[in-house]
Amino acid sequence: MNISSTLRTVLIIGSVLFFIFIINMVRIKKLELKYALIWILTSVSFIIMSVFPQTVYAVARLIEVEVASNALFLCIIFLLLLMVFALTVAISRQAIRTKRLVQEVALLKAELEEKIRNHETKSQSP
Amino acid sequence: MRKAHYQKKGTIKGMKALIIIPAYNEAENLPRLFEELDEVAKNADYTIDVLIINDCSKDNTLAVCREHGVKVVTLPVNLGIGGAVQTGYRYAFYHKYDIAIQIDGDGQHDPQFIPYLIERIEQGNHLCIGSRFIENEGFQSSRIRRVGIRYFSWLIWFLTGKRITDPTSGFRACGKEVIRLFAQDYPKDYPEPETVVTVLRNKLKVSEMPVIMRAREGGKSSITNLKGIYYMIKVTLAIMIASISRKAR
């Protein structure tokens, strides 16, 4: 299996650093565990693929793609499309929720201001 | 002559109507609109409240409204026309208004037609749209826009079987059922044609009434030429989706 040892070392170091980075993001609460799971899985599979490049060739044979790198690209692009779509869904949901919140806050504020104004005019005229 | 006709109207006892005006930087247009609205409210024998939805205006829209003593809801974040108008419908829903009237803040819509729109709702229509294209009087919009409006009109007829001459008109009145519907769900941008379909889809009665619109006095239209293509595609899709959407409970 022809992959240079330098490239392999770089890939191993890179994927391990990526894994540590993600775990740290979860640790300092900058990334919710719910959304981090997919990234943790991705980084673990990067580590596996760089330590055991045979797995990539095995997968390529399994899905009957002649060149191993093409099999890799196919899998990654598919995964990326799924992730981007999931994000679009999440953004839509957030947008709907934010809109509702903004409307309710605005209505509450208007209500409160009116109450205060009514109270002031009432206390002014005995 | 028109005034005398509507003075005796207002048959529902203690009826409350809310005029919803979405406003984004309309400080220069609002004073004249307020005067015209005062005239309408004075001659009506039911309660007419005016509510401005100040969509994060950068000019002194808020100060103008305060000076005139109308109700104002200021959105803390700019939501665009759809989000602003829906805030008005939510207000109408929470405060149990019988009728909501939507009118643009830029002076295009003449408030003297409001009593007639209200009358149509009292007669049992759920939504009544003020249309420029029944009697073809007043400001008729540019030629290219008329073509677009005709196309939407055709598309709505094709999908729902109902002929709506001016589906893009933002001058409209609606009753309690539609207030409830819009409070729950209202599109974000370019909402007018889509909402007509949603209302029809919920088996509610939509009618049109001829109105005379004016050319806008100040400010600029939300739809510029550049956005035209995007607008056509988006609204086409929105109308199609609305016509196959789930009905509201």
Side-chain angles (χ1 to χ4, degrees), chain B residues 218-239:
Chain B
K220 56 183 190 314
S221 167
S222 58
I223 303 155
T224 55
N225 286 337
L226 262 171
K227 286 188 193 152
I229 307 270
Y230 170 72
Y231 173 79
M232 294 304 288
I233 294 170
K234 214 204 126 168
V235 175
T236 300
L237 210 64
I239 289 173

Side-chain angles (χ1 to χ4, degrees), chain A residues 115-126:
Chain A
K115 285 249 153 63
I116 290 170
R117 248 199 314 279
N118 285 344
H119 188 74
E120 275 170 357
T121 47
K122 225 177 265 170
S123 58
Q124 269 165 14
S125 55

